[in-house]
Structures are given as structure tokens and as C-alpha cells.
Amino acid sequence: MKRYLMALALLVAACAPQVTQAPEVRPELRAEAFYPAATGLEWSYLLEGEPLSNPPYRVRVEGPAVFQGEEVLRFRSFGRGENRVYYRGVGPFGVRLFGFEDPSARVVFAPPIPEYPPEGLLAVGYRWGGESEVRATLLIPQGEKPLASGRLAYTFEVLEEKEVRVPAGVFRVFRIRQRYRDEKGETLYEVWFAPKVGEVRTREGRLLTDRNFR
């Protein structure tokens, strides 16, 4: 299976920068949920070490959708030429990733990958994991064309809870190690998650610089 199928690993090809505006803070938007997922929430990020003058990457909750017959939420990641939609379920079970699309391809995880556990389980030392079939298809005018498929194993572990400072401020986060494995080998990532805020550091090494809610 091609490394593209480690897209869960979210490796994105470098694209030409595009200028974007900072997200407008909307007072009516509040993150009441442990895992924020209200329609309209938006986060801005820069790669670790980049100057704040660089154009940001953004993630926006676009709202309910149907993906592979499941009721999910659309999360759009965009900026610097990136344009990808992630389909997630968010609820008492935590956060599950069903798949994603970019303008030319679709990737489906079956069963969906549990990116985060129920909030009561997110604590230092907690581990979870499993295995999913990954199916990638090429999106063409006539429909879809199979690209590749394979198995992806994953293990997540909460390493510690700590205070971190990023461009957006100081946050109390859970450091989570993500380990993915397919027949090509193993890939490791680290995510920082702050309850009622979201990802302060993404698996791509992007740090939170702003958000449009408090």
C-alpha cells in the first residue's frame, strides 16, 4: 500500500502559499464541549518555528454531512494551497475519523479510527488502538476509480499532561503519541490537545496561533 494511505499520517505535499485573513472572533461561538465541534468554529496554525507573518493553515467546522452512509461532521483544512475535508463523528464515544477527501481523491477508514477516546478516559497513561482497512479511490467525472487498499494499525498513548506556550497563548494540554503501522513500516506523531480548545499542536507540527471562539 502506498505511503499515500498513511494519509491518516496526514502527509501533505508542499503547495504555493496563499494570503488569508485571520479568523474573525465571533462572540456567539463558545466551546462548551470537551471536544469542540460546533459549526463555524475555526482554528489557525503555523508550522513550529515559522514567523507569525507567514500565511496560516486553517481548520474550520463546516457542519453536518453524510459520508459513506454515516452522519458525520465536515472539518475543512485549508491554506497555502491545501484544501482537504475530514469526516468525523464526535460524541460521548470521543472522536472518530471516517475518512477524508481532497479535490482528486477519497480515503475511507473501515472501521473509523478513534482519534480521541471518551473524555472520561483521556488521562495520562491511557492507551487505545486497533486496525482499519484503508481504501483510496480517485475521484473522476464518471465517479470513483480504485487506487489502493490495505491495512493500517494504530496505537495512541497519552504521555503526559503539561502546560505549553504557543503563539495563541498558554494552554494545559495532553501530549498524545500516535503510532501508525502498515506493511511499509511505522510512523510516529505527537499531538497536543487542550479540552474545550482543540488541537494546540497538530500531528504535522503546526502550532495554534488563533481561534474564533473563547
Side-chain angles (χ1 to χ4, degrees), residues 86-191:
Y86 295 89
Y87 296 94
R88 293 184 168 98
V90 182
F93 49 79
V95 181
R96 297 173 181 166
L97 178 63
F98 286 77
F100 63 85
E101 295 176 342
D102 60 29
S104 61
R106 173 180 295 138
V107 173
V108 177
F109 301 109
I113 294 174
E115 293 183 298
Y116 290 97
E119 64 176 271
L121 296 180
L122 193 65
V124 177
Y126 184 68
R127 299 180 64 189
W128 69 100
E131 185 174 293
S132 292
E133 180 184 359
V134 186
R135 300 190 301 272
T137 56
L138 185 66
L139 301 178
I140 57 178
Q142 297 77 18
E144 297 182 43
K145 179 180 179 181
L147 259 178
S149 64
R151 302 296 297 180
L152 180 66
Y154 47 85
T155 304
F156 303 152
E157 182 178 3
V158 183
L159 301 178
E160 66 173 332
E161 185 179 2
K162 64 181 292 188
E163 188 175 274
V164 298
R165 180 179 295 274
V166 298
V170 178
F171 300 93
R172 190 78 182 173
V173 304
F174 292 100
R175 283 184 57 229
I176 301 170
R177 181 174 59 202
Q178 301 182 338
R179 187 188 306 268
Y180 301 102
R181 187 175 65 257
D182 66 5
E183 74 276 6
K184 296 290 186 178
E186 187 173 88
T187 309
L188 293 176
Y189 296 91
E190 183 174 307
V191 173

Side-chain angles (χ1 to χ4, degrees), residues 187-206:
T187 309
L188 293 176
Y189 296 91
E190 183 174 307
V191 173
W192 300 346
F193 173 79
K196 298 189 177 183
V197 173
E199 290 187 351
V200 171
R201 183 187 191 276
T202 72
R203 71 196 78 195
E204 301 93 348
R206 301 172 185 175

Side-chain angles (χ1 to χ4, degrees), residues 4-161:
Y4 180 75
L5 290 184
M6 289 294 286
L8 189 239
L10 306 177
L11 299 175
V12 182
C15 300
Q18 61 185 37
V19 178
T20 58
Q21 299 295 320
E24 177 186 358
V25 176
R26 295 168 53 184
E28 73 275 16
L29 289 177
R30 298 181 61 84
E32 302 294 346
F34 189 84
Y35 297 118
T39 300
L41 296 187
E42 188 173 306
W43 300 259
S44 293
Y45 297 92
L46 286 174
L47 287 168
E48 194 167 355
E50 283 191 320
L52 294 177
S53 57
N54 280 12
Y57 296 96
R58 302 254 207 96
V59 175
R60 177 186 298 152
V61 184
E62 294 190 330
V66 176
F67 182 75
Q68 301 294 302
E70 298 284 347
E71 294 184 0
V72 295
L73 290 172
R74 287 167 55 97
F75 289 73
R76 184 176 298 275
S77 179
F78 62 101
R80 304 196 191 190
E82 180 176 310
N83 184 20
R84 178 172 287 173
V85 176
Y86 295 89
Y87 296 94
R88 293 184 168 98
V90 182
F93 49 79
V95 181
R96 297 173 181 166
L97 178 63
F98 286 77
F100 63 85
E101 295 176 342
D102 60 29
S104 61
R106 173 180 295 138
V107 173
V108 177
F109 301 109
I113 294 174
E115 293 183 298
Y116 290 97
E119 64 176 271
L121 296 180
L122 193 65
V124 177
Y126 184 68
R127 299 180 64 189
W128 69 100
E131 185 174 293
S132 292
E133 180 184 359
V134 186
R135 300 190 301 272
T137 56
L138 185 66
L139 301 178
I140 57 178
Q142 297 77 18
E144 297 182 43
K145 179 180 179 181
L147 259 178
S149 64
R151 302 296 297 180
L152 180 66
Y154 47 85
T155 304
F156 303 152
E157 182 178 3
V158 183
L159 301 178
E160 66 173 332
E161 185 179 2

